[in-house]
Amino acid sequence: MGIAALVTWLITALGGFFLLYTWISNGGPRKPSSSHFPPALIFGHFALAAIGLVLWIIYLIVDSDTLAWIAFVLLLPVALLGYTMFFRWLPTYRTRTEAPAADAPAERHFPMAVVGGHGLFAFVTLVLVLLTALEVGGS
C-alpha cells in the first residue's frame, strides 16, 4: 500500500507540476492583482507537498512509522490549500467561455481534466497514506 501511495503521489505531483507551469507561463506570479491565487498559496502548497513526498520516500526506505505520520500530517494542510485553490479557481472556470481579457487570471488556462485528475489522485494519495500509517492491509 505504501508503494501505491507513492505512485498516486507521483501522478498527483505530475499534474501539479503541469498546473504550476501553466500558471507561471501565463503570468501568475507577474500579475498577482489579476490572479485569484497569491504566490504564497501556490508555492506553499507545492513546498509542503514536495517535503511530504520526500519524507514518504524516506519512509519507504527506512520503514519508520513516525515518518509515515509526519507525511500524513503534512498532507492535511496541503489538502486544505488545494481545496482553497479549487474554490478560488471555480469562478474563473465558469467564465472561461467569455473572450479572454488582457488581465485574465493565469489560472483561466487550467484544463478541467488536469484539475480534476490532480484533485482525485490527491484524495486517493491522502487515503492511502493514512491507511499505510495505520498499518491497514499489512503495510
Side-chain angles (χ1 to χ4, degrees), residues 105-124:
E107 56 272 15
R108 175 181 265 186
H109 302 279
F110 290 173
M112 174 59 140
V114 178
V115 171
H118 180 71
L120 177 65
F121 277 99
F123 176 76
V124 171

Side-chain angles (χ1 to χ4, degrees), residues 10 13 23 37 50 52 91:
L10 290 172
W23 185 74
F37 299 158

Side-chain angles (χ1 to χ4, degrees), residues 71-131:
F72 173 73
V73 168
L74 275 175
L75 279 179
L76 296 175
V78 171
L80 289 173
L81 292 172
Y83 284 123
T84 300
M85 287 188 285
F86 177 74
F87 287 112
R88 286 178 172 218
W89 171 77
L90 275 178
T92 304
Y93 173 74
R94 290 183 180 138
T95 61
R96 73 195 179 289
T97 56
E98 299 171 6
D103 63 342
E107 56 272 15
R108 175 181 265 186
H109 302 279
F110 290 173
M112 174 59 140
V114 178
V115 171
H118 180 71
L120 177 65
F121 277 99
F123 176 76
V124 171
T125 299
L126 184 69
V127 170
L128 288 174
V129 167
L130 174 61
L131 292 175

Side-chain angles (χ1 to χ4, degrees), residues 10-84:
L10 290 172
I11 292 169
T12 303
L14 288 175
F17 281 131
F18 177 80
L19 294 171
L20 179 63
Y21 170 79
T22 302
W23 185 74
I24 290 172
S25 65
N26 286 289
R30 290 187 306 275
K31 47 183 185 172
S33 61
S34 70
S35 178
H36 295 110
F37 299 158
L41 177 65
I42 294 279
F43 293 115
H45 177 78
F46 169 76
L48 288 173
I51 292 167
L53 177 57
V54 169
L55 289 175
W56 190 253
I57 292 168
I58 295 169
Y59 157 73
L60 291 174
I61 294 168
V62 301
D63 194 28
S64 166
D65 292 343
T66 303
L67 284 176
W69 281 108
I70 292 171
F72 173 73
V73 168
L74 275 175
L75 279 179
L76 296 175
V78 171
L80 289 173
L81 292 172
Y83 284 123
T84 300

